[in-house]
Amino acid sequence: MSTTRARALLAELVDPATAASLEPDEDLVLAGVDSGDLIRLALAIEDRFDAQIDAGELEELRTLEAVDRLLDDLERSRAARGET
């Protein structure tokens, strides 16, 4: 699974070098991404996809792979609704 989109989105919110150095399955919090950064990440995703991220989904955003899976899910949902 490519995590390019998730990494690019995270790099907008934290030090780009930090985002670039993360492994796809590395725990973001243990790597130094703080809770405020995760909230800003969720808000950025909500804004771009006109979606709501619930508390359970927010808790799952712990790795780049998890972020990318959410982005895929939101894109599929948008496509199913006929949005681009």
Side-chain angles (χ1 to χ4, degrees):
M1 168 185 291
S2 171
T3 57
T4 303
R5 295 175 308 156
R7 190 180 306 279
L9 187 56
L10 185 62
E12 294 176 17
L13 305 169
V14 301
D15 175 43
T18 299
S21 70
L22 293 168
E23 294 296 325
D25 61 347
E26 186 173 359
D27 187 293
L28 298 175
V29 174
L30 294 177
V33 178
D34 67 34
S35 60
D37 294 329
L38 291 176
I39 296 292
R40 285 188 289 282
L41 177 62
L43 292 173
I45 292 169
E46 286 180 339
D47 185 54
R48 290 180 188 198
F49 286 91
D50 192 27
Q52 293 292 320
I53 296 176
D54 64 34
E57 290 170 319
L58 180 59
E59 287 181 22
E60 295 295 318
L61 297 181
R62 296 291 297 239
T63 66
L64 291 174
E65 288 175 337
V67 172
D68 206 59
R69 276 193 302 273
L70 177 61
L71 295 174
D72 285 344
D73 291 347
L74 291 171
E75 285 180 349
R76 279 193 294 276
S77 177
R78 179 186 276 178
R81 293 189 311 262
E83 299 172 12
T84 57

